[in-house]
Amino acid sequence: METTLTILKPDSVGAGNAGKILAQLEGEGFKIRALKKLRLTETQARAFYEVHKERPFYEELVRFMTRGPVIPAVLERENAVVHLREVLGATDSTQAAEGTVRNLYGTDVQENAIHGSDSQENAALETAFFFSRAELLAAE
């Protein structure tokens, strides 16, 4: 079994779509290993998205991710990273395939409802950013 990290972004949480999205993920065979609701500080958002620091959308991304609560979750299933990326759809919601999370709940390239780790290595790093080892063990 493999784990990955997802984050329900402020647009989907604020619109009241968190439950529907989590149910869709469970319907795709994901087991929710850990889950919490929080509001990212500017410092946290900058640290999490540091990989994008030199990109033109970085400041806007930080503002967006701090505007309301987010729900990070650790998901588990076979081929979790790859399967989650398929279920999420294209980063630009307007280009996402019908029935994907971003197609159903996103509106554009930034307000695309949800984040998903893009590799097993990043999934491990991103999971550690939000969850302690004790939180993950308690979820077993």
Side-chain angles (χ1 to χ4, degrees), residues 48-125:
F48 187 80
Y49 287 105
E50 186 173 18
V51 65
H52 298 303
K53 188 166 71 172
E54 301 303 321
R55 301 188 110 167
F57 59 82
Y58 177 71
E59 292 299 328
E60 188 178 342
L61 177 60
V62 169
R63 280 191 300 278
F64 168 60
M65 291 301 292
T66 58
R67 82 172 190 208
V70 297
I71 300 176
V74 178
L75 305 174
E76 181 181 66
R77 68 161 275 157
E78 293 293 328
N79 300 313
V81 172
V82 170
H83 191 70
L84 181 63
R85 302 291 290 178
E86 292 170 2
V87 170
L88 298 186
T91 302
D92 184 344
S93 296
T94 64
Q95 303 298 314
E98 191 172 325
T100 61
V101 174
R102 289 178 173 149
N103 168 261
L104 294 169
Y105 304 105
T107 56
D108 58 35
V109 70
Q110 180 169 281
E111 296 199 20
N112 61 8
I114 194 166
H115 165 86
S117 300
D118 62 2
S119 68
Q120 290 180 3
E121 296 77 21
N122 282 339
L125 291 170

Side-chain angles (χ1 to χ4, degrees), residues 2-83:
E2 182 179 286
T3 61
T4 190
L5 182 95
T6 191
I7 305 171
L8 280 64
K9 294 181 177 181
D11 57 327
S12 60
V13 175
N17 291 323
K20 290 182 250 182
I21 293 171
L22 291 170
Q24 183 175 354
L25 296 175
E26 286 182 313
E28 287 288 335
F30 288 99
K31 177 182 174 190
I32 298 172
R33 289 279 317 272
L35 176 83
K36 63 173 73 170
K37 185 176 184 180
L38 57 91
R39 189 165 186 152
L40 289 171
T41 66
E42 182 178 334
T43 301
Q44 290 169 323
R46 287 185 182 284
F48 187 80
Y49 287 105
E50 186 173 18
V51 65
H52 298 303
K53 188 166 71 172
E54 301 303 321
R55 301 188 110 167
F57 59 82
Y58 177 71
E59 292 299 328
E60 188 178 342
L61 177 60
V62 169
R63 280 191 300 278
F64 168 60
M65 291 301 292
T66 58
R67 82 172 190 208
V70 297
I71 300 176
V74 178
L75 305 174
E76 181 181 66
R77 68 161 275 157
E78 293 293 328
N79 300 313
V81 172
V82 170
H83 191 70

